[in-house]
Amino acid sequence: LGAPGGARRGPRLPAGKSGKSAPIDVKWALGGGGRLTDGLVESAVLPHIGNGTLNELLDSGVMENADGRLALTMDGYVVRPLFFPGGDIGRLAVCGTVNDLAVCGARVRGIALGMILEEGIELSVVERVMASVGAAAAEAGVKIVTGDTKVVGRGQADGMYLTTAGVGIIPKNRELHPSRVQVGDLLLINGPIADHGLAVMLAREMPQVKSVLKSDAAPLNALIEAVLEAGRDGVAFMRDATRSGLAGVAADLASRTGLHIRLDEGNIPIRAETLHAAEMLGLDPLEVANEGKVVLACRAEVADAVLAAMRSHPLGAMAAVIGQVESAEDGLCEIKTTLGGRRILQKPYGEQLPRIC
């Protein structure tokens, strides 16, 4: 539903004199994964279809199953352009689905793929995207097991939209949840932030700019399995830092646990070219979407083993400890800057980068 981390108390939608939601048009900002998205879900979605599973607002819905717990996730992909440095809409769809299951501790069993095609799109484009879907699925070790195709009129779908659903099984005795986070836990990330969102934005808004920047879109399930094997019960929580970026994950976690989270800016990995692109576009890289980054909280005593497991995997070579959970019960996330100052880090309010996933 676009509210990663189970955030509560987003800004509510405007209300009329009757107390009911006032008529408003849906804006891009409502789909950005920030506080406005939280408000939309809380005000217009959960009152009608909320239940004990959905209300958790995790990356996957987790349900009890005789062989363990069943995890189910789904997502829609409307990225523009369809192809960008480091990936395309097909790779993005597979990786996003795999990662949403993996961060909940699930082992992926299969993915369903739905296509909405615009009349007039070249068949070669469809084939190119499907080839990318197949390659990403093979990389993740999963199968596309069912799907659907629809065609709409010209000008109605920007060429192609994709929808995916994924199902996985969470092994018994594996528990990843914000409620397990405690004072003293360390926060880790598997590599540099903000590559995906900025690569897409440059490709769309400044195609004339030559840059080595590429999307980080990648399936993280193998890396996550290695981390869970190394850290076992000491790994408390995971989230892939997609829309709203690292800032969104950290602020959500602080809000949900009621604890104080401190990030160390100097320890957060970011490539020089990414930082340059962010400055050129006037964006905060902490709030930019990633598609191949997992943020996790673990006990201090297993942090070295978890970090080593990350760094031994190609997708975690630049992994780092980026912060910790502190004892103040204020539900705030604070970042210590490279100059020694401190500032409160909040989840972005609305859509900073539209159409990047």
Side-chain angles (χ1 to χ4, degrees):
L1 289 177
R8 302 296 201 273
R9 300 296 162 262
R12 298 187 67 82
L13 301 183
K17 293 181 180 180
S18 66
K20 296 181 179 179
S21 294
I24 62 170
D25 295 331
V26 172
K27 308 294 186 184
W28 255 336
L30 288 172
R35 286 178 284 158
L36 278 177
T37 304
D38 295 344
L40 173 66
V41 171
E42 182 182 332
S43 299
V45 178
L46 294 183
H48 303 285
I49 62 172
N51 56 67
T53 300
L54 181 61
N55 291 354
E56 287 285 345
L57 296 178
L58 300 175
D59 280 304
S60 301
V62 178
M63 298 159 285
E64 295 299 325
N65 180 273
D67 299 322
R69 284 169 296 152
L70 187 69
L72 176 66
T73 190
M74 70 173 298
D75 211 337
Y77 296 88
V78 298
V79 65
R80 183 166 58 89
L82 296 177
F83 302 94
F84 45 85
D88 55 69
I89 192 172
R91 179 173 180 80
L92 195 59
V94 173
C95 295
T97 304
V98 167
N99 295 345
D100 278 350
L101 290 167
V103 295
C104 289
R107 292 169 178 160
V108 190
R109 289 292 183 262
I111 293 176
L113 175 69
M115 293 192 297
I116 298 178
L117 304 177
E118 180 183 338
E119 182 184 16
I121 187 173
E122 294 183 6
L123 184 59
S124 61
V125 173
V126 179
E127 291 177 339
R128 182 179 171 189
V129 171
M130 289 301 102
S132 181
V133 167
E139 185 179 339
V142 302
K143 293 181 179 180
I144 310 299
V145 295
T146 189
D148 180 57
T149 302
K150 295 291 190 298
V151 177
V152 297
R154 293 176 184 270
Q156 296 181 2
D158 277 351
M160 173 188 296
Y161 297 149
L162 298 181
T163 299
T164 56
V167 64
I169 299 294
I170 302 175
K172 293 181 178 179
N173 302 319
R174 178 179 287 184
E175 186 70 34
L176 297 171
H177 195 274
S179 63
R180 295 195 62 231
V181 175
Q182 64 186 32
V183 174
D185 284 355
L186 299 181
L187 268 65
L188 286 72
I189 193 168
N190 64 303
I193 65 169
D195 290 346
H196 172 74
L198 289 167
V200 172
M201 285 300 288
L202 283 178
R204 182 165 75 224
E205 305 298 338
M206 298 181 177
Q208 74 281 4
V209 173
K210 302 298 181 182
S211 174
V212 297
L213 188 60
K214 294 182 179 180
S215 168
D216 64 342
L220 297 172
N221 51 332
L223 179 145
I224 287 173
E225 282 294 327
V227 163
L228 292 173
E229 179 65 25
R232 298 189 179 274
D233 292 341
V235 179
F237 168 80
M238 290 186 181
R239 177 75 67 235
D240 53 334
T242 53
R243 290 180 302 170
S244 76
L246 175 58
V249 173
D252 266 344
L253 187 59
S255 176
R256 182 147 183 175
T257 61
L259 298 172
H260 188 91
I261 290 180
R262 176 179 55 79
L263 299 181
D264 295 307
E265 185 178 37
N267 293 342
I268 298 172
I270 182 169
R271 302 182 200 278
E273 58 268 28
T274 305
L275 186 59
H276 175 69
E279 291 172 346
M280 184 168 56
L281 292 168
L283 298 171
D284 183 350
L286 294 171
E287 299 179 357
V288 174
N290 310 271
E291 290 293 344
K293 296 296 174 289
V294 57
V295 179
L296 66 85
C298 69
R299 309 294 184 244
E301 58 268 24
V302 302
D304 287 344
V306 168
L307 192 62
M310 279 185 166
R311 289 176 174 172
S312 66
H313 191 280
L315 297 176
M318 296 178 67
V321 177
I322 60 172
Q324 68 181 79
V325 181
E326 299 184 338
S327 59
E329 297 182 358
D330 55 14
L332 295 176
C333 178
E334 178 184 53
I335 185 165
K336 181 180 178 182
T337 70
T338 53
L339 297 177
R342 294 173 181 264
R343 65 182 175 95
I344 298 300
L345 195 63
Q346 293 184 313
K347 189 173 185 178
Y349 186 68
E351 181 76 291
Q352 182 180 220
L353 301 174
R355 305 290 298 276
I356 46 80
C357 63

